[in-house]
Amino acid sequence: MDRTRRDRDEEGRARSARPRDGLGRPLPYGETGVERQPEGVVRTPDETVREAQRLLDAGMPFHAHEVLEDAWKSGPEEERELWRGLAQLAVGLTHGARGNSAGGARLLLRGADRIGAFTHRPYGIDVEGLGAWARSLAARLDGPVDPAAEAPRLRD
């Protein structure tokens, strides 16, 4: 029986070493991909928003999701749903850019619902505007979208 070994990271966790494209899709081994975001980076909320916006503007919502996911996992308990919702918006845009309209719409709506509880504009994040953007994009997803052209503004 021929068993292929799984790629592992330094801690021994399963982690694909395959290169990825700008939307996070795996490419064949040996291809040139887009460098992945390092995992587990602890940033200030302002640094998180700036880096996620830079990546969204560059048409890299998958990578923005990874930055937002770090904030979700490392931030204070009372803010985790904010960062989780923002990460879901980025993943929803990723799926929309990949042509997965149904999955993208579900994630956009789920993320909009999560961030909707934060009405006080934490860190200047335009949660109301982002919710409206997510609902609008979810309603019109029908095939792949240009992620840079559809990128939201996290702050107005």
Side-chain angles (χ1 to χ4, degrees):
M1 174 186 218
D2 180 26
R3 301 182 103 192
T4 305
R5 296 183 58 128
R6 294 180 77 185
D7 297 330
R8 303 269 175 196
D9 65 13
E10 294 79 33
E11 283 93 39
R13 293 180 304 229
R15 180 173 168 105
S16 176
R18 287 173 60 182
R20 304 230 172 209
D21 72 5
L23 292 175
R25 293 175 291 212
L27 298 169
Y29 287 104
E31 293 278 324
T32 301
V34 174
E35 189 170 337
R36 295 176 76 169
Q37 292 296 304
E39 284 187 37
V41 176
V42 177
R43 299 172 181 87
T44 66
D46 191 54
E47 290 168 335
T48 296
V49 172
R50 275 197 319 261
E51 181 62 6
Q53 188 68 65
R54 183 186 72 75
L55 293 163
L56 287 166
D57 292 345
M60 299 172 66
F62 177 81
H63 296 78
H65 139 266
E66 291 180 323
V67 168
L68 294 163
E69 187 175 60
D70 282 340
W72 157 26
K73 292 181 177 181
S74 68
E77 184 67 34
E78 63 274 9
E79 293 179 2
R80 290 207 173 140
E81 289 301 291
L82 169 69
W83 300 112
R84 184 176 181 192
L86 292 170
Q88 286 175 324
L89 296 181
V91 170
L93 179 55
T94 300
H95 281 279
R98 291 176 178 174
N100 177 3
S101 299
R106 273 193 304 275
L107 283 161
L108 287 164
L109 295 174
R110 195 176 302 150
D113 288 345
R114 271 211 168 79
I115 67 171
F118 294 86
T119 57
H120 62 282
R121 296 179 58 90
Y123 307 109
I125 297 169
D126 182 12
V127 292
E128 186 177 323
L130 285 168
W133 165 83
R135 286 180 175 79
S136 172
L137 181 57
R140 59 188 171 79
L141 275 181
D142 184 27
V145 297
D146 178 339
E150 296 292 348
R153 300 296 313 156
L154 298 176
R155 296 177 173 145
D156 57 3

